[in-house]
Amino acid sequence: MTDIVINDLSKMYGGKRVLDCVAMHIADGEFIAVLGPSGCGKTTLLRLLAGFETPDEGTIQLGDRIVSSREANVPPEKRNIGIVFQNYALWPHMSVADNVGYALKIAGASSQERQQRSRDALAVVGMENLAERAPSDLSGGQRQRVALARCLAAKPSVMLLDEPLANLDVHLRAAMENEFVRFHRHTGATMVYITHDQSEAMALADRIAVIDRGRLVQFDRPRDLYREPQSEMVARFIGNGQVLTVQDVRPDAEAAIVSIFGKDHRVRARRSEQVRSSARLSVHTSAMRLAQPGEDGFAGKVERVIYRGNHSQVDFLVTAEPDLQLTLHAPADVAIPSDDTIQVCISDGWVIPAAA
Amino acid sequence: MPALLPKAEWVVLGLLVIFVAGLSFAPLLRLAITAIAPAGVIDLGHVAELLWKKKVLTASTNTLVVALVSTILAMVLGTIAAALTVLTDMRFKTAWVFAFVLPLMIPPQVTALAWVQAFSPSSPVLGLLGLSLHDGGRHPLYSPGGIILLLGFYHAPLVFLTVRAALRRLPAELVEAARAAGATSWPLIFTIILPLARAGLFAGAALAFVSSISNFGIQAMLGIPARYPTLITLIYQQMNSYGPSALADMAVLALLLSTLTIVGVAVSGWLGQRGDVRVDGIGRSLEIRLGRWRPVVEAASWLFIVLTMALPLSALVATSLVNGFGQELSWKTLTLVNYANALVHQASIRNAFLTSLLLTSVTVAILMVVSLFMAYFIVWKRGPLVRLLHLFSELAYALPGIILAVAMILFFLKPLPFLGFSIYGTVWIILAAYLSSFLALALRPVLGGFAQIDRAMEEAAQVAGAGFLARMHDVIIPLVAPAAVAGGVMVFMSALNEIQVSILLVSSNARTIGPMVVFLEEGGSSTLAAAVGCLMIVAVLILMLVATRFSRYLPKGVLPWQN
């Protein structure tokens, strides 16, 4: 059983806190994505998990063993972890098979066992025919697969993946995403996947940890992150969310009635939501639409219309709050002139809980 | 540096600390203490009294004059050479660059000997050309002017290399922007290109200054007969006359010389960086068309090579092929007896060749290993201790070799603890000095090699379970080995014929080949000295050839003579 318990982990660089009291519990066999804008501290978290850095506060526990603390640090070579590096880090002076079998060689496996297991690992990623090639002869996607196989052959209890798709072409990414899912099912290893790309994280992970400026802001299933963001940052970061201010929050069963630009709407809210004079509301683009004739909406002035093929993206300024720009998707066949005034309906929203 | 290093890393780091502390830090510290506090208490009065002596004042002034003026000469020549080869459409650049940089590879004492023979009244070469200097009177090169001229020629390639590197880094857009603004070739060079290459120019100037101050070969070969003492020749002569009893006073002179060196480096660093104009980019090659001036420029540049290299070297060869100094070279006088003496009959010369070869090989082997590990810590682990190790290895290289020799004698004169004997007067003290002096030279290409490989290569091996030594052996060394070999080549070429470090350390039972030329020339065996000099040049040429042959395996740009 290798679950990962991270306790109040902090790391400073030159007086700056790059990780601040991060705590999470990752279950054995879970696929976790760590998501955040660049410079948020997610790579530091990976390096702490791997053992390349020591924490200034807090601990990391792998299984029942504390591997990182201020006092003692189990070195990376003794942690039984695997890493897939962003640039693959294949050793250029070794063949593909030697790369994959290196951890076994270090562990003192017999050469027969080594060959067998590296061939098996290469077979999992469909690369068994290229075992004798040099890494420099491979394409980007092939190198990525070799890096995965290298990780697999070592049978690590935890696999760390550091933006593994960042250096690949867009069309290769989709194929590799499938590869990762299959790979996770095959190995059952606990996987921690670092990325700044939310669609990647959404597609792959059981749960996503969103990190912002060194702090863990939310750790939830993709669906909950999207539908029930716990902070404005998450609401904006996930799925191009939009945030607006609403008045007069009145909890109502498992929802709440709020006043959006003077008109009452029923939106989702957490059960413990209190009566408040104002709150911030998370609204996704898909939850906004042009009002049907006769339907009651709020007014907006069209700023710009961008043709996107299957829909038109309409950017507009809210008439009641002229500094607020929102975006909705309109059917591509509806002509909307710029500077026109439109009526907008909101069909779904989520009251962002008041900050603790 | 991570707070907790695994054990193997601690052991290696500990060995590196012992290496640098024992061979660089402790001897230099001992030198400084001996200079300032010869009797155990700080005695600056004694220092001042010594420095105020007329002899020392004269030598200091001479040193400064010679170093400064020759540096200016080297800057002018090196910059012109770099501008011609990088910026213009001159033809046969590769050959010319090789010929221009070659003198740097020839030991300075041999260069000085060649020039002395080229301009001696009975010069075989001048004789062939139908010229001759009048007999009697002093040799024209036995003068401050002669020293300055030779030092300037000798160090011009140093400036050339740094300016060339700076010119090649110049972003082409800056030049194109100036052209678009209407600048034609010559204004372009003086208003845009050279100001932007200033950092390179002053880096070269610093090198030329330091090398001039510490160039024992030329200063001794010309300065001693000219009775024009400089600080290093003064130290050499005093040590020769008084032996180790003069050490305390020599320590003061060595400290003075170190101060001059460090001040020189600091001043040119400041001049180069003032109003920071560092630029970095991939320079596209700019070609200024010389047009109808091209043949003239080419002729002039080759004439320079003929005058500064071909002429003196052919004089050296001619001298080495005759029986007695002053004989004219002809079919009748042609003899190989000097070479036979050098290689076979004279045991002392033969042994000196072998000693140098052996010492150099051992030095290269040890330093390649040390530099691989040390570069690992310097580039990837950092930390104050590691920085200190780097600083002292650089200091031992930058300080004039003769200073290091004085420090070594001071440190190793007493019998070693536990072993009970002194290594002074044996080859071991020379080996110790070589290891100290050339560590930085071996280290530089390796540092570059480490900077070029992705740290993730090591980290990947680490998560695969490999400990420090396994990672070194399996992953890191195969990747940086070419850089270590390049460092080894540079050390080999520098150490094989060097004179500055070993001149004070050689004894009757431990001689290296570098100082041999000086001893032979001082002893009046000019023809034998010329033969030994020629053999040293041949050795250098063979090394260059071998290195060039394998250059595609070496990191780009480590062999200075390649264009």
Side-chain angles (χ1 to χ4, degrees):
Chain A
M1 281 293 284
T2 314
D3 51 345
I4 306 173
V5 182
I6 299 171
N7 267 321
D8 295 337
L9 198 65
S10 295
K11 177 75 187 171
M12 326 261 279
Y13 280 126
K16 190 176 171 260
R17 259 174 197 270
V18 287
L19 267 193
D20 192 3
C21 257
V22 169
M24 52 209 276
H25 183 166
I26 302 166
D28 183 39
E30 208 177 358
F31 193 142
I32 291 299
V34 176
L35 176 66
S38 57
C40 71
K42 55 190 190 300
T43 299
T44 306
L45 179 62
L46 175 120
R47 295 183 66 79
L48 281 160
L49 281 170
F52 293 127
E53 310 280 349
T54 42
D56 289 310
E57 287 159 27
T59 58
I60 298 173
Q61 198 176 325
L62 292 184
D64 47 16
R65 183 162 72 137
I66 290 184
V67 292
S68 289
S69 70
R70 210 187 146 84
E71 293 74 33
N73 190 47
V74 177
E77 58 264 38
K78 305 258 187 262
R79 287 192 178 198
N80 192 26
I81 48 163
I83 300 187
V84 176
F85 291 88
Q86 180 169 0
N87 44 14
Y88 324 128
L90 299 179
W91 303 299
H93 59 295
M94 297 185 196
S95 70
V96 165
D98 288 345
N99 262 284
V100 174
Y102 183 70
L104 301 169
K105 182 178 152 202
I106 288 296
S110 72
S111 106
Q112 200 190 349
E113 186 193 350
R114 214 158 73 207
Q115 279 185 355
Q116 184 60 44
R117 275 174 64 183
S118 35
R119 212 174 313 132
D120 291 350
L122 282 169
V124 171
V125 295
M127 293 279 296
E128 62 272 43
N129 297 327
L130 301 178
E132 295 315 313
R133 295 276 188 90
S136 55
D137 297 336
L138 304 179
S139 70
Q142 288 172 327
R143 285 180 204 189
Q144 179 64 269
R145 288 193 166 86
V146 175
L148 271 175
R150 179 171 71 182
C151 200
L152 177 65
K155 295 218 169 103
S157 47
V158 172
M159 281 178 57
L160 308 174
L161 302 108
D162 186 9
E163 307 235 8
L165 299 183
N167 289 345
L168 291 183
D169 291 339
V170 179
H171 66 275
L172 256 176
R173 283 190 198 181
M176 286 310 294
E177 275 178 16
N178 293 334
E179 192 87 1
F180 284 129
V181 173
R182 208 163 58 79
F183 188 78
H184 179 234
R185 267 191 222 127
H186 180 93
T187 58
T190 310
M191 288 171 76
V192 177
Y193 187 105
I194 306 283
T195 182
H196 66 272
D197 182 332
Q198 45 150 321
S199 71
E200 229 169 83
M202 297 280 225
L204 292 169
D206 298 324
R207 283 196 294 162
I208 297 174
V210 181
I211 297 200
D212 182 37
R213 278 172 284 177
R215 283 176 165 275
L216 177 66
V217 288
Q218 194 167 352
F219 186 26
D220 256 323
R221 292 179 303 162
R223 181 188 160 79
D224 295 336
L225 273 185
Y226 186 83
R227 284 175 55 84
E228 300 178 3
Q230 300 298 307
S231 66
E232 227 182 292
M233 182 265 157
V234 177
R236 287 186 192 281
F237 189 60
I238 302 290
N240 286 323
Q242 306 180 67
V243 176
L244 34 102
T245 304
V246 295
Q247 317 292 333
D248 248 346
V249 180
R250 286 145 285 161
D252 175 31
E254 283 180 24
I257 310 291
V258 298
S259 161
I260 304 177
F261 308 125
K263 302 220 162 49
D264 276 359
H265 282 70
R266 190 182 161 85
V267 293
R268 290 174 291 112
R270 62 177 179 178
R271 255 171 219 224
S272 55
E273 192 55 72
Q274 306 285 318
V275 173
R276 285 195 270 167
S277 61
S278 81
R280 300 285 277 168
L281 186 78
S282 159
V283 178
H284 287 283
T285 308
S286 57
M288 269 188 290
R289 58 178 172 81
L290 294 175
Q292 303 293 327
E295 204 178 3
D296 209 8
F298 61 87
K301 188 171 156 227
V302 176
E303 272 258 295
R304 200 161 68 127
V305 179
I306 303 165
Y307 178 65
R308 297 276 188 205
N310 59 350
H311 65 265
S312 291
Q313 176 187 331
V314 182
D315 296 342
F316 62 96
L317 295 175
V318 177
T319 311
E321 205 173 312
D323 288 340
L324 181 64
Q325 189 196 311
L326 298 176
T327 298
L328 63 74
H329 291 171
D333 50 1
V334 178
I336 303 163
S338 283
D339 289 337
D340 210 3
T341 296
I342 51 173
Q343 292 293 315
V344 180
C345 277
I346 287 183
S347 56
D348 183 43
W350 161 259
V351 180
I352 297 170
Chain B
M1 201 184 314
L4 305 151
L5 285 174
K7 217 198 279 163
E9 288 182 59
W10 275 118
V11 173
V12 171
L13 187 59
L15 291 174
L16 289 176
V17 170
I18 293 172
F19 188 89
V20 174
L23 294 175
S24 303
F25 176 71
L28 290 174
L29 185 70
R30 180 67 207 269
L31 175 81
I33 291 175
T34 310
I36 299 172
V41 282
I42 293 180
D43 186 1
L44 293 177
H46 175 71
V47 174
E49 189 190 322
L50 191 71
L51 294 183
W52 207 245
K53 277 189 184 162
K54 188 161 176 288
K55 220 167 25 177
V56 176
L57 279 178
T58 316
S60 308
T61 320
N62 290 351
T63 300
L64 272 181
V65 168
V66 163
L68 281 176
V69 182
S70 73
T71 299
I72 292 170
L73 179 61
M75 282 169 82
V76 172
L77 291 174
T79 308
I80 293 174
L84 280 177
T85 54
V86 179
L87 302 176
T88 74
D89 61 348
M90 188 173 99
R91 286 169 293 182
F92 312 112
K93 282 180 189 169
T94 309
W96 195 81
V97 166
F98 181 84
F100 187 78
V101 177
L102 185 64
L104 198 57
M105 305 291 142
I106 296 174
Q109 67 276 27
V110 177
T111 307
L113 182 67
W115 279 89
V116 165
Q117 281 164 7
F119 285 92
S120 67
S122 51
S123 160
V125 174
L126 291 183
L128 275 182
L129 294 173
L131 301 167
S132 79
L133 298 159
H134 55 90
D135 275 326
R138 216 162 56 167
H139 191 291
L141 290 177
Y142 289 160
S143 63
I147 300 175
I148 287 168
L149 199 67
L150 255 61
L151 286 176
F153 286 155
Y154 195 78
H155 297 124
L158 287 175
V159 179
F160 165 78
L161 290 171
T162 56
V163 174
R164 181 178 69 167
L167 288 178
R168 286 187 173 166
R169 274 201 309 272
L170 269 191
E173 302 84 61
L174 292 178
V175 173
E176 283 160 8
R179 285 215 155 146
T184 52
S185 298
W186 295 110
L188 191 65
I189 290 182
F190 288 103
T191 59
I192 304 288
I193 296 172
L194 289 183
L196 287 175
R198 192 177 62 179
L201 180 61
F202 282 103
L207 280 176
F209 181 78
V210 171
S211 306
S212 298
I213 279 192
S214 60
N215 191 318
F216 180 79
I218 289 172
Q219 290 185 34
M221 292 286 283
L222 303 181
I224 293 176
R227 296 182 197 288
Y228 184 79
T230 54
L231 277 171
I232 36 177
T233 55
L234 185 64
I235 295 176
Y236 168 66
Q237 287 181 308
Q238 302 257 311
M239 285 292 291
N240 263 359
S241 316
Y242 304 109
S245 63
L247 271 174
D249 289 355
M250 290 315 101
V252 177
L253 295 190
L255 206 63
L256 174 63
L257 195 54
S258 321
T259 315
L260 288 183
T261 310
I262 293 165
V263 168
V265 173
V267 167
S268 52
W270 178 73
L271 284 173
Q273 275 177 6
R274 209 161 41 114
D276 194 358
V277 288
R278 270 174 303 164
V279 282
D280 262 311
I282 310 292
R284 229 170 308 146
S285 64
L286 166 84
E287 279 218 333
I288 293 176
R289 298 233 159 74
L290 293 171
R292 64 200 160 91
W293 289 100
R294 187 158 82 167
V296 180
V297 170
E298 285 168 353
S301 57
W302 281 103
L303 184 66
F304 177 82
I305 300 286
V306 168
L307 286 179
T308 61
M309 197 180 65
L311 184 71
L313 285 189
S314 52
L316 187 72
V317 174
T319 307
S320 76
L321 291 173
V322 295
N323 217 334
F325 187 53
Q327 260 183 1
E328 224 168 282
L329 179 63
S330 67
W331 285 115
K332 228 189 274 171
T333 55
L334 179 79
T335 169
L336 289 176
V337 69
N338 294 310
Y339 289 93
N341 279 338
L343 288 172
V344 187
H345 301 308
Q346 293 234 5
S348 63
I349 301 178
R350 198 181 62 215
N351 287 341
F353 265 119
L354 289 177
T355 307
S356 276
L357 202 60
L358 202 68
L359 273 174
T360 306
S361 308
V362 174
T363 304
V364 166
I366 296 177
L367 286 185
M368 273 167 67
V369 175
V370 170
S371 61
L372 277 168
F373 283 96
M374 202 151 137
Y376 172 86
F377 285 99
I378 291 173
V379 180
W380 282 349
K381 296 285 175 177
R382 304 210 178 89
L385 176 66
V386 176
R387 261 206 299 281
L388 217 60
L389 292 184
H390 191 189
L391 178 74
F392 272 93
S393 65
E394 283 288 341
L395 198 62
Y397 177 66
L399 289 180
I402 212 159
I403 295 181
L404 193 69
V406 173
M408 284 290 168
I409 298 175
L410 277 167
F411 190 68
F412 285 113
L413 193 57
K414 285 200 194 128
L416 292 172
F418 308 119
L419 296 175
F421 59 86
S422 166
I423 63 169
Y424 177 59
T426 69
V427 285
W428 300 106
I429 195 169
I430 306 178
L431 178 65
Y434 280 5
L435 290 175
S436 174
S437 176
F438 295 115
L439 174 58
L441 192 60
L443 197 56
R444 277 179 201 164
V446 188
L447 291 175
F450 267 92
Q452 269 165 21
I453 59 173
D454 187 352
R455 181 86 197 268
M457 292 290 167
E458 192 212 2
E459 292 174 343
Q462 207 169 357
V463 296
F468 176 60
L469 294 177
R471 297 199 299 272
M472 257 335 217
H473 176 268
D474 295 340
V475 174
I476 297 170
I477 289 180
L479 293 177
V480 292
V485 171
V489 170
M490 294 315 291
V491 172
F492 204 102
M493 298 190 62
S494 313
L496 187 61
N497 295 324
E498 72 73 42
I499 182 170
Q500 316 173 38
V501 178
S502 53
I503 186 78
L504 290 185
L505 300 176
V506 289
S507 62
S508 54
N509 46 18
R511 273 214 185 111
T512 56
I513 196 64
M516 207 47 139
V517 173
V518 177
F519 297 152
L520 289 172
E521 176 76 5
E522 275 179 348
S525 323
S526 287
T527 53
L528 192 55
V532 171
C534 286
L535 288 171
M536 288 162 78
I537 293 174
V538 169
V540 168
L541 285 174
I542 291 173
L543 277 172
M544 286 172 78
L545 215 68
V546 172
T548 309
R549 180 123 185 93
F550 292 100
S551 61
R552 68 197 148 107
Y553 300 109
L554 301 179
K556 210 169 159 354
V558 292
L559 301 181
W561 59 86
Q562 284 193 322
N563 189 13

